[in-house]
Amino acid sequence: MEKFKKLVAIEPVNLYDESFEIIKSNYAEDVIIYNDVPKSNEEIIKRIGDADAMLVSYTSQITKDILEKCPNLKYVGMCCSLYSPESASVDIRYSEAHGIKVTGIRNYGDNGVAEYAVHQMIDVLHGFGDIKWNKNGSAVEITNAKVGILGMGTTGKIIANALSYFGADISYNSRTHKADMEEKGCKFMEFDDLITKNDFIFCCLTKNIILLNEREFNLMKGKKLIFNTSIAPAHDINALKNWLIESDEHYFFGDSNAAIGSEELLKLKNVRSTGRCSGGTIQCIDRLNEKVLANIKNYFAR
């Protein structure tokens, strides 16, 4: 059976020891594992060396300059989401042009993120924490809450389904209409209308998609809570900062510091982050392992 000569996990990739054993037994003659994130491109190049396969997470960017200096590479397994070349942590265009197969995974951490987002909304509406939707502390239900969702992918759909159950008034904006969600009562809404007419806005976008800039924040008046479910900002940092300072009724939540995008923003009283990714559940890591191993298996089965 064909195998990789050398596979290198250049950083922590959330694979279990058992998964690495499967790779060693079935797919690679030699496996090298690094348990820290490389601090420079030079370190990444050194770690890859003469390997013909590598595993990488979202914490390192594998650029054209790196790939050019690793001529033996023929497989890159992204142990993280891969939705588009623009949002990938690997230069997909260069890889395709030079015969390097890049695989990634989808739909593995969405449930935990959606659960956290709904939890935070309930926390604010009921006034369980220090941020209270009603300043007098009166509890409010999700019923009839005006919710706008930017990006109706897997996470957006889970959030929409959960909030629909409690009677929220949900609209969404996406690159394509989602007939399955519209059948459930979710309304498609033009972007400007969505951000101005809704009180709760969930940004469920892929990495490197920036939709909220100064213009958009200037449109968002009154009491609003924005929640970012991505692992990277969907907003311009300075524009968000100005919007948050403008009113104590503007709130911004992220499920990780990376979703906030700035240490300075974390100091503001109307910003909240857990400091870690809420998608990193036991089930999420189980699904990640299954999908990464399936990608490697499929590579040799082609």
Side-chain angles (χ1 to χ4, degrees), residues 58-79:
Y58 63 87
T59 41
S60 290
Q61 291 292 315
I62 308 303
T63 63
K64 172 186 174 182
D65 291 340
I66 291 172
L67 294 171
E68 285 178 335
K69 294 178 174 61
C70 302
N72 289 342
L73 269 181
K74 59 183 181 181
Y75 180 83
V76 177
M78 292 174 55
C79 304

Side-chain angles (χ1 to χ4, degrees), residues 11 26 30-32 50 74-75 78-79 92 98 121 143 150-151 168 170 179 184 190 232 256 259 293:
E11 62 186 350
N26 299 284
D30 187 19
V31 175
I32 298 174
D50 60 353
K74 59 183 181 181
Y75 180 83
M78 292 174 55
C79 304
I92 303 295
H98 291 80
M121 182 174 172
T143 308
L150 292 174
I170 299 174
K184 297 178 181 180
E190 295 299 329
S256 67
L293 290 176

Side-chain angles (χ1 to χ4, degrees), residues 25 73 78 94 115 175 219 250 254 279 302:
S25 299
L73 269 181
M78 292 174 55
Y94 179 90
E115 287 176 3
R175 287 176 292 184
L219 292 174
H250 292 167
R302 73 195 193 285

